[in-house]
Amino acid sequence: MKAITIPQPGGPEALVWAEVPDPEPGPGEVIVDVRASGVNRADLLQRQGHYPPPPGASAYPGLECSGVITEVGSEVAGWAVGQQVCALLSGGGYAERVAVPAGQLLPVPACDSVDAAGLPEVACTVWSNLVQVGRLSAGDTLLVHGGGSGIGTFAVQLGAALGATVVTTARAAKHSRLRELGASHPIDYREQDFVEEVRRVTDGRGADVILDIMGASYLGRNVSALATGGRLVVIGMQGGRKAELDLGALLTKRATVAATSLRSRPVAEKAEIVQGVRDEVWPLIEAGRVRPVVDRRLPMIEAAEAHRLVESNDHFGKVLLTLG
């Protein structure tokens, strides 16, 4: 088969479409012939040499895909050759075929099967962090940073569907589309202070849950923007790894700071998250309350261009790589 390989870390030009060995399914795995794969910032970090795949995972980038099952391992139950699926991956989505643990498969919901490639990583990341970690519930105020990203567009929709008031930071050009997805209060992070804006729209109370992709550069301001008893969930470090945390402010607010990642979790934990998404998020997609938001599709061989687009932050929603 062919896959996008990274012979040497570097810029987008480091991505090379090359012949590689076909994957073989383990006893609890299936082989999926890939139709499309979602592009995530983790893929950009892997290309740069900063985010290697976990032990035993495919060396090729790609954390989610959609396609058709073509082989089934000896211990797999409930899945069959010919089924259309989408899948959460530890790597390998930028390829013609990929081996997937059966517990990380999802049926294609009520959407285009190519667009479904952009769902597993964002759905599992957002649901696990907003619901399991952040304990988001109806009536809460949710602040989503990077609302125009793949994670952001999904988090805005899920927050609204769960009955939260959604505040989000994004470039002004993306605000009208974010309102259409359910954001009540988009904030232009380049022109407005999101702490002041959150306090304004909550009458000084602050956000109950903050989903943060920035890390260090936003840490202090995020704590300032939290409500009493609020939960800050950090899932990215685009703004750096290290910052000073005012524990006094955290204690005063009786607030929580949590940091999570998905890729390195054990297979059993991922399977639990995938099942939760199937049980609680897939019905929202079937009902039309949440949908994949796709900026554009590019052929897999144009992975370098897809990485340049994601790095530019000019996209809205997911960028997908397609085959066939």
PDB file of all heavy atoms in Angstrom, residues 40 122-123 125-126 130 142-160 166-170 177-178 181-183 211 213 235 238 291 293 315-318:
ATOM      1  N   ASN A  40      -5.152  16.800  12.056  1.00  0.00           N
ATOM      2  CA  ASN A  40      -5.162  17.361  13.396  1.00  0.00           C
ATOM      3  C   ASN A  40      -3.825  18.006  13.711  1.00  0.00           C
ATOM      4  O   ASN A  40      -2.803  17.669  13.112  1.00  0.00           O
ATOM      5  CB  ASN A  40      -5.468  16.259  14.414  1.00  0.00           C
ATOM      6  CG  ASN A  40      -6.885  15.736  14.296  1.00  0.00           C
ATOM      7  OD1 ASN A  40      -7.821  16.335  14.803  1.00  0.00           O
ATOM      8  ND2 ASN A  40      -7.056  14.608  13.623  1.00  0.00           N
ATOM      9  N   VAL A 122     -12.179  14.493  17.198  1.00  0.00           N
ATOM     10  CA  VAL A 122     -12.775  15.653  17.865  1.00  0.00           C
ATOM     11  C   VAL A 122     -13.912  15.230  18.792  1.00  0.00           C
ATOM     12  O   VAL A 122     -14.041  15.752  19.899  1.00  0.00           O
ATOM     13  CB  VAL A 122     -13.260  16.717  16.852  1.00  0.00           C
ATOM     14  CG1 VAL A 122     -12.093  17.305  16.097  1.00  0.00           C
ATOM     15  CG2 VAL A 122     -14.304  16.175  15.898  1.00  0.00           C
ATOM     16  N   ALA A 123     -14.725  14.277  18.371  1.00  0.00           N
ATOM     17  CA  ALA A 123     -15.842  13.848  19.217  1.00  0.00           C
ATOM     18  C   ALA A 123     -15.331  13.217  20.505  1.00  0.00           C
ATOM     19  O   ALA A 123     -15.836  13.511  21.595  1.00  0.00           O
ATOM     20  CB  ALA A 123     -16.732  12.869  18.454  1.00  0.00           C
ATOM     21  N   THR A 125     -12.306  13.592  21.896  1.00  0.00           N
ATOM     22  CA  THR A 125     -11.598  14.594  22.688  1.00  0.00           C
ATOM     23  C   THR A 125     -12.576  15.525  23.397  1.00  0.00           C
ATOM     24  O   THR A 125     -12.471  15.767  24.607  1.00  0.00           O
ATOM     25  CB  THR A 125     -10.654  15.417  21.794  1.00  0.00           C
ATOM     26  OG1 THR A 125      -9.656  14.553  21.235  1.00  0.00           O
ATOM     27  CG2 THR A 125      -9.971  16.519  22.584  1.00  0.00           C
ATOM     28  N   VAL A 126     -13.528  16.046  22.656  1.00  0.00           N
ATOM     29  CA  VAL A 126     -14.454  17.032  23.226  1.00  0.00           C
ATOM     30  C   VAL A 126     -15.380  16.384  24.248  1.00  0.00           C
ATOM     31  O   VAL A 126     -15.553  16.901  25.355  1.00  0.00           O
ATOM     32  CB  VAL A 126     -15.252  17.724  22.104  1.00  0.00           C
ATOM     33  CG1 VAL A 126     -16.379  18.574  22.693  1.00  0.00           C
ATOM     34  CG2 VAL A 126     -14.323  18.583  21.252  1.00  0.00           C
ATOM     35  N   LEU A 130     -15.227  17.650  28.038  1.00  0.00           N
ATOM     36  CA  LEU A 130     -16.332  18.478  28.517  1.00  0.00           C
ATOM     37  C   LEU A 130     -17.224  17.721  29.499  1.00  0.00           C
ATOM     38  O   LEU A 130     -17.640  18.276  30.519  1.00  0.00           O
ATOM     39  CB  LEU A 130     -17.180  18.984  27.348  1.00  0.00           C
ATOM     40  CG  LEU A 130     -16.546  20.020  26.422  1.00  0.00           C
ATOM     41  CD1 LEU A 130     -17.598  20.571  25.468  1.00  0.00           C
ATOM     42  CD2 LEU A 130     -15.887  21.150  27.207  1.00  0.00           C
ATOM     43  N   LEU A 142     -19.839  27.822  29.150  1.00  0.00           N
ATOM     44  CA  LEU A 142     -18.665  27.154  28.600  1.00  0.00           C
ATOM     45  C   LEU A 142     -17.867  28.150  27.762  1.00  0.00           C
ATOM     46  O   LEU A 142     -18.425  28.813  26.890  1.00  0.00           O
ATOM     47  CB  LEU A 142     -19.096  25.976  27.726  1.00  0.00           C
ATOM     48  CG  LEU A 142     -18.026  25.353  26.815  1.00  0.00           C
ATOM     49  CD1 LEU A 142     -16.932  24.685  27.638  1.00  0.00           C
ATOM     50  CD2 LEU A 142     -18.665  24.359  25.843  1.00  0.00           C
ATOM     51  N   LEU A 143     -16.566  28.246  28.036  1.00  0.00           N
ATOM     52  CA  LEU A 143     -15.659  29.035  27.209  1.00  0.00           C
ATOM     53  C   LEU A 143     -14.803  28.083  26.390  1.00  0.00           C
ATOM     54  O   LEU A 143     -14.085  27.248  26.947  1.00  0.00           O
ATOM     55  CB  LEU A 143     -14.772  29.932  28.072  1.00  0.00           C
ATOM     56  CG  LEU A 143     -13.605  30.643  27.351  1.00  0.00           C
ATOM     57  CD1 LEU A 143     -14.105  31.557  26.231  1.00  0.00           C
ATOM     58  CD2 LEU A 143     -12.757  31.430  28.356  1.00  0.00           C
ATOM     59  N   VAL A 144     -14.876  28.197  25.067  1.00  0.00           N
ATOM     60  CA  VAL A 144     -14.101  27.370  24.150  1.00  0.00           C
ATOM     61  C   VAL A 144     -13.074  28.256  23.464  1.00  0.00           C
ATOM     62  O   VAL A 144     -13.439  29.207  22.761  1.00  0.00           O
ATOM     63  CB  VAL A 144     -15.003  26.710  23.092  1.00  0.00           C
ATOM     64  CG1 VAL A 144     -14.162  25.916  22.088  1.00  0.00           C
ATOM     65  CG2 VAL A 144     -16.041  25.809  23.751  1.00  0.00           C
ATOM     66  N   HIS A 145     -11.801  27.958  23.651  1.00  0.00           N
ATOM     67  CA  HIS A 145     -10.768  28.699  22.926  1.00  0.00           C
ATOM     68  C   HIS A 145     -10.540  28.057  21.556  1.00  0.00           C
ATOM     69  O   HIS A 145     -10.598  26.834  21.395  1.00  0.00           O
ATOM     70  CB  HIS A 145      -9.466  28.709  23.727  1.00  0.00           C
ATOM     71  CG  HIS A 145      -9.505  29.604  24.920  1.00  0.00           C
ATOM     72  ND1 HIS A 145      -9.753  30.961  24.813  1.00  0.00           N
ATOM     73  CD2 HIS A 145      -9.347  29.356  26.248  1.00  0.00           C
ATOM     74  CE1 HIS A 145      -9.725  31.501  26.017  1.00  0.00           C
ATOM     75  NE2 HIS A 145      -9.499  30.546  26.907  1.00  0.00           N
ATOM     76  N   GLY A 146     -10.279  28.911  20.562  1.00  0.00           N
ATOM     77  CA  GLY A 146     -10.067  28.404  19.207  1.00  0.00           C
ATOM     78  C   GLY A 146     -11.330  27.853  18.595  1.00  0.00           C
ATOM     79  O   GLY A 146     -11.349  26.748  18.049  1.00  0.00           O
ATOM     80  N   GLY A 147     -12.395  28.627  18.656  1.00  0.00           N
ATOM     81  CA  GLY A 147     -13.697  28.142  18.212  1.00  0.00           C
ATOM     82  C   GLY A 147     -13.777  27.752  16.752  1.00  0.00           C
ATOM     83  O   GLY A 147     -14.627  26.949  16.381  1.00  0.00           O
ATOM     84  N   GLY A 148     -12.905  28.291  15.908  1.00  0.00           N
ATOM     85  CA  GLY A 148     -12.958  27.984  14.484  1.00  0.00           C
ATOM     86  C   GLY A 148     -12.225  26.729  14.088  1.00  0.00           C
ATOM     87  O   GLY A 148     -12.275  26.321  12.922  1.00  0.00           O
ATOM     88  N   SER A 149     -11.550  26.073  15.021  1.00  0.00           N
ATOM     89  CA  SER A 149     -10.800  24.851  14.721  1.00  0.00           C
ATOM     90  C   SER A 149     -11.738  23.655  14.647  1.00  0.00           C
ATOM     91  O   SER A 149     -12.939  23.746  14.936  1.00  0.00           O
ATOM     92  CB  SER A 149      -9.752  24.614  15.811  1.00  0.00           C
ATOM     93  OG  SER A 149     -10.393  24.333  17.054  1.00  0.00           O
ATOM     94  N   GLY A 150     -11.180  22.493  14.290  1.00  0.00           N
ATOM     95  CA  GLY A 150     -11.992  21.291  14.295  1.00  0.00           C
ATOM     96  C   GLY A 150     -12.521  20.973  15.684  1.00  0.00           C
ATOM     97  O   GLY A 150     -13.703  20.679  15.869  1.00  0.00           O
ATOM     98  N   ILE A 151     -11.642  21.041  16.678  1.00  0.00           N
ATOM     99  CA  ILE A 151     -12.059  20.842  18.071  1.00  0.00           C
ATOM    100  C   ILE A 151     -13.079  21.908  18.459  1.00  0.00           C
ATOM    101  O   ILE A 151     -14.114  21.620  19.071  1.00  0.00           O
ATOM    102  CB  ILE A 151     -10.841  20.902  19.013  1.00  0.00           C
ATOM    103  CG1 ILE A 151      -9.950  19.664  18.843  1.00  0.00           C
ATOM    104  CG2 ILE A 151     -11.278  21.063  20.473  1.00  0.00           C
ATOM    105  CD1 ILE A 151     -10.504  18.395  19.428  1.00  0.00           C
ATOM    106  N   GLY A 152     -12.793  23.151  18.133  1.00  0.00           N
ATOM    107  CA  GLY A 152     -13.643  24.259  18.545  1.00  0.00           C
ATOM    108  C   GLY A 152     -15.042  24.188  17.975  1.00  0.00           C
ATOM    109  O   GLY A 152     -16.037  24.371  18.703  1.00  0.00           O
ATOM    110  N   THR A 153     -15.160  23.919  16.672  1.00  0.00           N
ATOM    111  CA  THR A 153     -16.484  23.877  16.055  1.00  0.00           C
ATOM    112  C   THR A 153     -17.320  22.744  16.634  1.00  0.00           C
ATOM    113  O   THR A 153     -18.543  22.868  16.784  1.00  0.00           O
ATOM    114  CB  THR A 153     -16.381  23.723  14.529  1.00  0.00           C
ATOM    115  OG1 THR A 153     -15.531  22.607  14.208  1.00  0.00           O
ATOM    116  CG2 THR A 153     -15.819  24.982  13.884  1.00  0.00           C
ATOM    117  N   PHE A 154     -16.660  21.638  16.994  1.00  0.00           N
ATOM    118  CA  PHE A 154     -17.409  20.537  17.607  1.00  0.00           C
ATOM    119  C   PHE A 154     -17.782  20.869  19.039  1.00  0.00           C
ATOM    120  O   PHE A 154     -18.905  20.593  19.476  1.00  0.00           O
ATOM    121  CB  PHE A 154     -16.592  19.242  17.553  1.00  0.00           C
ATOM    122  CG  PHE A 154     -17.426  18.015  17.754  1.00  0.00           C
ATOM    123  CD1 PHE A 154     -18.019  17.371  16.683  1.00  0.00           C
ATOM    124  CD2 PHE A 154     -17.645  17.500  19.028  1.00  0.00           C
ATOM    125  CE1 PHE A 154     -18.813  16.235  16.870  1.00  0.00           C
ATOM    126  CE2 PHE A 154     -18.429  16.376  19.229  1.00  0.00           C
ATOM    127  CZ  PHE A 154     -19.018  15.742  18.148  1.00  0.00           C
ATOM    128  N   ALA A 155     -16.862  21.467  19.795  1.00  0.00           N
ATOM    129  CA  ALA A 155     -17.136  21.808  21.188  1.00  0.00           C
ATOM    130  C   ALA A 155     -18.261  22.827  21.308  1.00  0.00           C
ATOM    131  O   ALA A 155     -19.094  22.739  22.218  1.00  0.00           O
ATOM    132  CB  ALA A 155     -15.874  22.333  21.863  1.00  0.00           C
ATOM    133  N   VAL A 156     -18.294  23.801  20.415  1.00  0.00           N
ATOM    134  CA  VAL A 156     -19.367  24.795  20.427  1.00  0.00           C
ATOM    135  C   VAL A 156     -20.716  24.097  20.247  1.00  0.00           C
ATOM    136  O   VAL A 156     -21.687  24.350  20.974  1.00  0.00           O
ATOM    137  CB  VAL A 156     -19.138  25.849  19.325  1.00  0.00           C
ATOM    138  CG1 VAL A 156     -20.404  26.674  19.088  1.00  0.00           C
ATOM    139  CG2 VAL A 156     -17.975  26.761  19.704  1.00  0.00           C
ATOM    140  N   GLN A 157     -20.783  23.194  19.264  1.00  0.00           N
ATOM    141  CA  GLN A 157     -22.041  22.498  19.002  1.00  0.00           C
ATOM    142  C   GLN A 157     -22.452  21.591  20.164  1.00  0.00           C
ATOM    143  O   GLN A 157     -23.615  21.575  20.571  1.00  0.00           O
ATOM    144  CB  GLN A 157     -21.918  21.648  17.737  1.00  0.00           C
ATOM    145  CG  GLN A 157     -21.752  22.432  16.456  1.00  0.00           C
ATOM    146  CD  GLN A 157     -21.665  21.491  15.271  1.00  0.00           C
ATOM    147  OE1 GLN A 157     -22.687  21.062  14.718  1.00  0.00           O
ATOM    148  NE2 GLN A 157     -20.444  21.135  14.894  1.00  0.00           N
ATOM    149  N   LEU A 158     -21.496  20.828  20.680  1.00  0.00           N
ATOM    150  CA  LEU A 158     -21.843  19.905  21.761  1.00  0.00           C
ATOM    151  C   LEU A 158     -22.254  20.669  23.013  1.00  0.00           C
ATOM    152  O   LEU A 158     -23.224  20.302  23.684  1.00  0.00           O
ATOM    153  CB  LEU A 158     -20.667  18.977  22.064  1.00  0.00           C
ATOM    154  CG  LEU A 158     -20.936  17.907  23.125  1.00  0.00           C
ATOM    155  CD1 LEU A 158     -22.080  16.993  22.705  1.00  0.00           C
ATOM    156  CD2 LEU A 158     -19.688  17.098  23.414  1.00  0.00           C
ATOM    157  N   GLY A 159     -21.522  21.756  23.330  1.00  0.00           N
ATOM    158  CA  GLY A 159     -21.891  22.564  24.484  1.00  0.00           C
ATOM    159  C   GLY A 159     -23.306  23.099  24.378  1.00  0.00           C
ATOM    160  O   GLY A 159     -24.089  23.032  25.335  1.00  0.00           O
ATOM    161  N   ALA A 160     -23.635  23.622  23.189  1.00  0.00           N
ATOM    162  CA  ALA A 160     -24.981  24.155  22.983  1.00  0.00           C
ATOM    163  C   ALA A 160     -26.027  23.044  23.073  1.00  0.00           C
ATOM    164  O   ALA A 160     -27.100  23.224  23.661  1.00  0.00           O
ATOM    165  CB  ALA A 160     -25.056  24.863  21.634  1.00  0.00           C
ATOM    166  N   VAL A 166     -22.584  29.125  25.392  1.00  0.00           N
ATOM    167  CA  VAL A 166     -21.251  28.936  24.832  1.00  0.00           C
ATOM    168  C   VAL A 166     -20.631  30.277  24.453  1.00  0.00           C
ATOM    169  O   VAL A 166     -21.183  31.042  23.656  1.00  0.00           O
ATOM    170  CB  VAL A 166     -21.287  28.020  23.596  1.00  0.00           C
ATOM    171  CG1 VAL A 166     -19.874  27.815  23.049  1.00  0.00           C
ATOM    172  CG2 VAL A 166     -21.922  26.676  23.956  1.00  0.00           C
ATOM    173  N   VAL A 167     -19.464  30.543  25.045  1.00  0.00           N
ATOM    174  CA  VAL A 167     -18.632  31.690  24.716  1.00  0.00           C
ATOM    175  C   VAL A 167     -17.393  31.129  24.030  1.00  0.00           C
ATOM    176  O   VAL A 167     -16.872  30.080  24.434  1.00  0.00           O
ATOM    177  CB  VAL A 167     -18.222  32.473  25.981  1.00  0.00           C
ATOM    178  CG1 VAL A 167     -17.421  33.716  25.631  1.00  0.00           C
ATOM    179  CG2 VAL A 167     -19.459  32.827  26.806  1.00  0.00           C
ATOM    180  N   THR A 168     -16.914  31.782  22.981  1.00  0.00           N
ATOM    181  CA  THR A 168     -15.760  31.233  22.275  1.00  0.00           C
ATOM    182  C   THR A 168     -14.863  32.330  21.738  1.00  0.00           C
ATOM    183  O   THR A 168     -15.341  33.413  21.379  1.00  0.00           O
ATOM    184  CB  THR A 168     -16.206  30.311  21.128  1.00  0.00           C
ATOM    185  OG1 THR A 168     -15.054  29.697  20.533  1.00  0.00           O
ATOM    186  CG2 THR A 168     -16.962  31.070  20.051  1.00  0.00           C
ATOM    187  N   THR A 169     -13.559  32.060  21.708  1.00  0.00           N
ATOM    188  CA  THR A 169     -12.594  32.984  21.120  1.00  0.00           C
ATOM    189  C   THR A 169     -12.280  32.547  19.701  1.00  0.00           C
ATOM    190  O   THR A 169     -12.110  31.357  19.420  1.00  0.00           O
ATOM    191  CB  THR A 169     -11.292  33.043  21.934  1.00  0.00           C
ATOM    192  OG1 THR A 169     -10.712  31.733  21.992  1.00  0.00           O
ATOM    193  CG2 THR A 169     -11.549  33.535  23.348  1.00  0.00           C
ATOM    194  N   ALA A 170     -12.209  33.523  18.801  1.00  0.00           N
ATOM    195  CA  ALA A 170     -11.906  33.242  17.392  1.00  0.00           C
ATOM    196  C   ALA A 170     -11.697  34.571  16.664  1.00  0.00           C
ATOM    197  O   ALA A 170     -12.089  35.634  17.161  1.00  0.00           O
ATOM    198  CB  ALA A 170     -13.036  32.464  16.728  1.00  0.00           C
ATOM    199  N   ARG A 177     -20.339  32.374  11.575  1.00  0.00           N
ATOM    200  CA  ARG A 177     -20.501  30.923  11.446  1.00  0.00           C
ATOM    201  C   ARG A 177     -20.531  30.254  12.817  1.00  0.00           C
ATOM    202  O   ARG A 177     -21.246  29.260  13.011  1.00  0.00           O
ATOM    203  CB  ARG A 177     -19.383  30.352  10.579  1.00  0.00           C
ATOM    204  CG  ARG A 177     -19.562  30.651   9.085  1.00  0.00           C
ATOM    205  CD  ARG A 177     -18.397  30.149   8.256  1.00  0.00           C
ATOM    206  NE  ARG A 177     -17.200  30.943   8.487  1.00  0.00           N
ATOM    207  CZ  ARG A 177     -16.024  30.698   7.914  1.00  0.00           C
ATOM    208  NH1 ARG A 177     -15.890  29.661   7.096  1.00  0.00           N
ATOM    209  NH2 ARG A 177     -14.991  31.475   8.147  1.00  0.00           N
ATOM    210  N   LEU A 178     -19.792  30.791  13.781  1.00  0.00           N
ATOM    211  CA  LEU A 178     -19.827  30.223  15.128  1.00  0.00           C
ATOM    212  C   LEU A 178     -21.184  30.445  15.781  1.00  0.00           C
ATOM    213  O   LEU A 178     -21.679  29.583  16.514  1.00  0.00           O
ATOM    214  CB  LEU A 178     -18.699  30.811  15.974  1.00  0.00           C
ATOM    215  CG  LEU A 178     -17.312  30.261  15.623  1.00  0.00           C
ATOM    216  CD1 LEU A 178     -16.221  31.111  16.247  1.00  0.00           C
ATOM    217  CD2 LEU A 178     -17.184  28.808  16.075  1.00  0.00           C
ATOM    218  N   LEU A 181     -23.481  27.829  14.729  1.00  0.00           N
ATOM    219  CA  LEU A 181     -23.233  26.543  15.376  1.00  0.00           C
ATOM    220  C   LEU A 181     -23.704  26.514  16.824  1.00  0.00           C
ATOM    221  O   LEU A 181     -23.712  25.450  17.449  1.00  0.00           O
ATOM    222  CB  LEU A 181     -21.739  26.201  15.324  1.00  0.00           C
ATOM    223  CG  LEU A 181     -21.139  25.962  13.943  1.00  0.00           C
ATOM    224  CD1 LEU A 181     -19.648  25.677  14.058  1.00  0.00           C
ATOM    225  CD2 LEU A 181     -21.838  24.817  13.223  1.00  0.00           C
ATOM    226  N   GLY A 182     -24.071  27.679  17.364  1.00  0.00           N
ATOM    227  CA  GLY A 182     -24.597  27.696  18.725  1.00  0.00           C
ATOM    228  C   GLY A 182     -23.851  28.560  19.715  1.00  0.00           C
ATOM    229  O   GLY A 182     -24.202  28.594  20.892  1.00  0.00           O
ATOM    230  N   ALA A 183     -22.815  29.285  19.258  1.00  0.00           N
ATOM    231  CA  ALA A 183     -22.081  30.174  20.160  1.00  0.00           C
ATOM    232  C   ALA A 183     -22.895  31.435  20.411  1.00  0.00           C
ATOM    233  O   ALA A 183     -23.251  32.148  19.473  1.00  0.00           O
ATOM    234  CB  ALA A 183     -20.719  30.534  19.574  1.00  0.00           C
ATOM    235  N   LEU A 211     -12.472  25.082  27.952  1.00  0.00           N
ATOM    236  CA  LEU A 211     -11.724  24.119  27.146  1.00  0.00           C
ATOM    237  C   LEU A 211     -10.614  24.890  26.439  1.00  0.00           C
ATOM    238  O   LEU A 211     -10.875  25.734  25.589  1.00  0.00           O
ATOM    239  CB  LEU A 211     -12.638  23.442  26.132  1.00  0.00           C
ATOM    240  CG  LEU A 211     -12.026  22.288  25.343  1.00  0.00           C
ATOM    241  CD1 LEU A 211     -11.699  21.110  26.258  1.00  0.00           C
ATOM    242  CD2 LEU A 211     -12.951  21.835  24.215  1.00  0.00           C
ATOM    243  N   ILE A 213      -6.847  25.227  24.411  1.00  0.00           N
ATOM    244  CA  ILE A 213      -5.845  24.642  23.522  1.00  0.00           C
ATOM    245  C   ILE A 213      -4.519  25.371  23.603  1.00  0.00           C
ATOM    246  O   ILE A 213      -3.544  24.948  22.982  1.00  0.00           O
ATOM    247  CB  ILE A 213      -6.337  24.660  22.061  1.00  0.00           C
ATOM    248  CG1 ILE A 213      -6.619  26.111  21.603  1.00  0.00           C
ATOM    249  CG2 ILE A 213      -7.563  23.783  21.888  1.00  0.00           C
ATOM    250  CD1 ILE A 213      -6.916  26.250  20.130  1.00  0.00           C
ATOM    251  N   ILE A 235      -6.084  21.015  26.860  1.00  0.00           N
ATOM    252  CA  ILE A 235      -5.886  19.903  25.924  1.00  0.00           C
ATOM    253  C   ILE A 235      -4.830  20.225  24.867  1.00  0.00           C
ATOM    254  O   ILE A 235      -4.606  19.413  23.961  1.00  0.00           O
ATOM    255  CB  ILE A 235      -7.208  19.505  25.233  1.00  0.00           C
ATOM    256  CG1 ILE A 235      -7.783  20.676  24.435  1.00  0.00           C
ATOM    257  CG2 ILE A 235      -8.215  18.996  26.262  1.00  0.00           C
ATOM    258  CD1 ILE A 235      -8.952  20.280  23.536  1.00  0.00           C
ATOM    259  N   GLN A 238      -0.432  25.199  22.419  1.00  0.00           N
ATOM    260  CA  GLN A 238      -0.024  26.075  21.329  1.00  0.00           C
ATOM    261  C   GLN A 238       0.637  27.345  21.848  1.00  0.00           C
ATOM    262  O   GLN A 238       1.422  27.979  21.139  1.00  0.00           O
ATOM    263  CB  GLN A 238      -1.228  26.424  20.451  1.00  0.00           C
ATOM    264  CG  GLN A 238      -1.804  25.242  19.699  1.00  0.00           C
ATOM    265  CD  GLN A 238      -2.977  25.627  18.831  1.00  0.00           C
ATOM    266  OE1 GLN A 238      -3.022  26.709  18.249  1.00  0.00           O
ATOM    267  NE2 GLN A 238      -3.962  24.740  18.737  1.00  0.00           N
ATOM    268  N   ARG A 291     -23.034  18.313  13.943  1.00  0.00           N
ATOM    269  CA  ARG A 291     -22.638  17.823  12.620  1.00  0.00           C
ATOM    270  C   ARG A 291     -21.146  18.039  12.414  1.00  0.00           C
ATOM    271  O   ARG A 291     -20.537  18.902  13.060  1.00  0.00           O
ATOM    272  CB  ARG A 291     -23.417  18.555  11.527  1.00  0.00           C
ATOM    273  CG  ARG A 291     -23.182  20.058  11.491  1.00  0.00           C
ATOM    274  CD  ARG A 291     -23.976  20.731  10.390  1.00  0.00           C
ATOM    275  NE  ARG A 291     -23.846  22.180  10.390  1.00  0.00           N
ATOM    276  CZ  ARG A 291     -22.850  22.846   9.817  1.00  0.00           C
ATOM    277  NH1 ARG A 291     -21.881  22.182   9.187  1.00  0.00           N
ATOM    278  NH2 ARG A 291     -22.810  24.169   9.867  1.00  0.00           N
ATOM    279  N   VAL A 293     -18.093  19.690  10.728  1.00  0.00           N
ATOM    280  CA  VAL A 293     -17.867  20.944  10.018  1.00  0.00           C
ATOM    281  C   VAL A 293     -16.562  20.790   9.245  1.00  0.00           C
ATOM    282  O   VAL A 293     -15.494  20.647   9.841  1.00  0.00           O
ATOM    283  CB  VAL A 293     -17.781  22.133  10.994  1.00  0.00           C
ATOM    284  CG1 VAL A 293     -17.493  23.429  10.236  1.00  0.00           C
ATOM    285  CG2 VAL A 293     -19.085  22.264  11.789  1.00  0.00           C
ATOM    286  N   HIS A 315      -8.485  28.113   8.255  1.00  0.00           N
ATOM    287  CA  HIS A 315      -9.572  27.185   7.999  1.00  0.00           C
ATOM    288  C   HIS A 315     -10.668  27.345   9.051  1.00  0.00           C
ATOM    289  O   HIS A 315     -10.458  27.941  10.113  1.00  0.00           O
ATOM    290  CB  HIS A 315      -9.053  25.742   8.021  1.00  0.00           C
ATOM    291  CG  HIS A 315      -8.469  25.328   9.331  1.00  0.00           C
ATOM    292  ND1 HIS A 315      -7.364  25.939   9.889  1.00  0.00           N
ATOM    293  CD2 HIS A 315      -8.843  24.367  10.222  1.00  0.00           C
ATOM    294  CE1 HIS A 315      -7.081  25.379  11.035  1.00  0.00           C
ATOM    295  NE2 HIS A 315      -7.959  24.429  11.272  1.00  0.00           N
ATOM    296  N   PHE A 316     -11.844  26.789   8.744  1.00  0.00           N
ATOM    297  CA  PHE A 316     -12.959  26.770   9.694  1.00  0.00           C
ATOM    298  C   PHE A 316     -13.465  25.337   9.751  1.00  0.00           C
ATOM    299  O   PHE A 316     -14.044  24.823   8.798  1.00  0.00           O
ATOM    300  CB  PHE A 316     -14.082  27.708   9.249  1.00  0.00           C
ATOM    301  CG  PHE A 316     -15.207  27.833  10.256  1.00  0.00           C
ATOM    302  CD1 PHE A 316     -15.080  28.672  11.358  1.00  0.00           C
ATOM    303  CD2 PHE A 316     -16.376  27.109  10.100  1.00  0.00           C
ATOM    304  CE1 PHE A 316     -16.097  28.777  12.289  1.00  0.00           C
ATOM    305  CE2 PHE A 316     -17.413  27.225  11.025  1.00  0.00           C
ATOM    306  CZ  PHE A 316     -17.260  28.055  12.123  1.00  0.00           C
ATOM    307  N   GLY A 317     -13.234  24.672  10.877  1.00  0.00           N
ATOM    308  CA  GLY A 317     -13.594  23.269  10.987  1.00  0.00           C
ATOM    309  C   GLY A 317     -12.438  22.388  10.550  1.00  0.00           C
ATOM    310  O   GLY A 317     -11.272  22.749  10.644  1.00  0.00           O
ATOM    311  N   LYS A 318     -12.788  21.217  10.025  1.00  0.00           N
ATOM    312  CA  LYS A 318     -11.795  20.199   9.705  1.00  0.00           C
ATOM    313  C   LYS A 318     -11.284  20.312   8.269  1.00  0.00           C
ATOM    314  O   LYS A 318     -12.006  20.718   7.360  1.00  0.00           O
ATOM    315  CB  LYS A 318     -12.406  18.803   9.876  1.00  0.00           C
ATOM    316  CG  LYS A 318     -12.854  18.485  11.278  1.00  0.00           C
ATOM    317  CD  LYS A 318     -11.710  18.302  12.242  1.00  0.00           C
ATOM    318  CE  LYS A 318     -10.900  17.079  11.911  1.00  0.00           C
ATOM    319  NZ  LYS A 318      -9.977  16.709  12.998  1.00  0.00           N
TER     320      LYS A 318
END
